Structure formats: C-alpha cells, structure tokens
C-alpha cells in the first residue's frame, strides 16, 4: 500500500526470542519518505506507530572493568 518493500525485519530479544517492539523496513529512497509520512502516528492494533528514518548506531562507552565472574 505504501510502496515497494525490499526487506523487513523485527528485532527480537536474544534471550527470550520475543519482539522488542521495533523493526526495520528497507524501501527505495524515492518511496521511503512518503511511506514515513503516511504511517507515522497512524494507529495499529490500538497503538500509535512511530515511524522514522534509521540512524547509525551511536558508539557505547567501553567497559574497562574486565570480566565479571
């Protein structure tokens, strides 16, 4: 309905296997912006969707305390 989907993935918790409540959808650049505009804030199953363009992962501070036992 909103354009051509090249790939889609739901992010899951690595321990429980349950959805973490977000995912990623890849679309051609020419269609992605329109899809974001059309779906952001839209209600689905009683919840409002938050749709935005993915950002690069920010570096996390390094833990130099060594291994935990």
């Amino acid at each position: 309905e909103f354009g051509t989907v090249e790939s889609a993935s739901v992010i899951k918790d690595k321990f429980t296997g349950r959805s973490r409540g977000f995912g990623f959808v890849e679309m051609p650049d020419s269609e992605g912006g329109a899809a974001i505009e059309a779906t952001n804030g839209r209600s689905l199953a009683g919840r409002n969707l938050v749709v935005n363009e993915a950002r690069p992962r920010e570096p996390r501070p390094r833990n130099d305390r060594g291994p935990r036992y």
Side-chain angles (χ1 to χ4, degrees), residues 4-53:
T4 305
V5 174
E6 293 176 345
S7 70
S9 61
V10 174
I11 306 305
K12 295 182 179 184
D13 182 274
K14 63 182 174 182
F15 298 109
T16 65
R18 294 180 59 193
S19 168
R20 293 193 52 204
F22 68 97
F24 295 94
V25 176
E26 291 187 64
M27 301 177 78
D29 289 337
S30 60
E31 298 175 2
I36 290 171
E37 290 291 322
T39 57
N40 189 36
R42 192 175 200 179
S43 179
L44 177 68
R47 297 179 68 180
N48 289 335
L49 297 176
V50 176
V51 182
N52 51 43
E53 190 169 347

Side-chain angles (χ1 to χ4, degrees), residues 62-69:
R62 189 174 164 179
N63 180 355
D64 289 330
R65 293 185 295 178
R68 295 184 206 173
Y69 296 104

Side-chain angles (χ1 to χ4, degrees), residues 55-63:
R55 299 179 303 272
R57 184 179 243 183
E58 294 181 11
R60 294 182 180 187
R62 189 174 164 179
N63 180 355

